[in-house]
Amino acid sequence: MSFDQRQAFDELKIFVEKMQDKTGVNIAEMDKETIDGLRQHYQTIMLEIQNIAHKWLK
């Protein structure tokens, strides 16, 4: 594993630990369907925020 790959892995590990601490959700126990659902919710929320911001900027 290269230095850059190791550094990226370490950063991801820290991110996952922080997320688990804040949410109380163990990511390792999530299945692919749950992760895909969260991704869909996130994308929907971001699209809604963009639409609201666009309306305000008009």
Side-chain angles (χ1 to χ4, degrees):
M1 185 180 302
S2 73
F3 177 77
D4 290 339
Q5 289 173 323
R6 181 67 187 167
Q7 185 176 5
F9 179 78
D10 289 342
E11 289 175 12
L12 179 60
K13 183 178 175 184
I14 291 168
F15 171 78
V16 167
E17 288 172 354
K18 285 181 181 179
M19 184 175 161
Q20 288 180 165
D21 287 344
K22 288 183 180 183
T23 64
V25 174
N26 185 347
I27 296 172
E29 294 176 356
M30 290 183 171
D31 59 7
K32 184 179 181 329
E33 188 175 313
T34 302
I35 293 169
D36 288 342
L38 290 172
R39 184 180 301 121
Q40 284 286 21
H41 289 304
Y42 172 78
Q43 291 172 344
T44 301
I45 291 167
M46 292 306 296
L47 183 58
E48 186 65 28
I49 290 170
Q50 289 174 348
N51 289 338
I52 291 169
H54 186 297
K55 287 177 186 177
W56 286 348
L57 295 173
K58 280 186 173 183

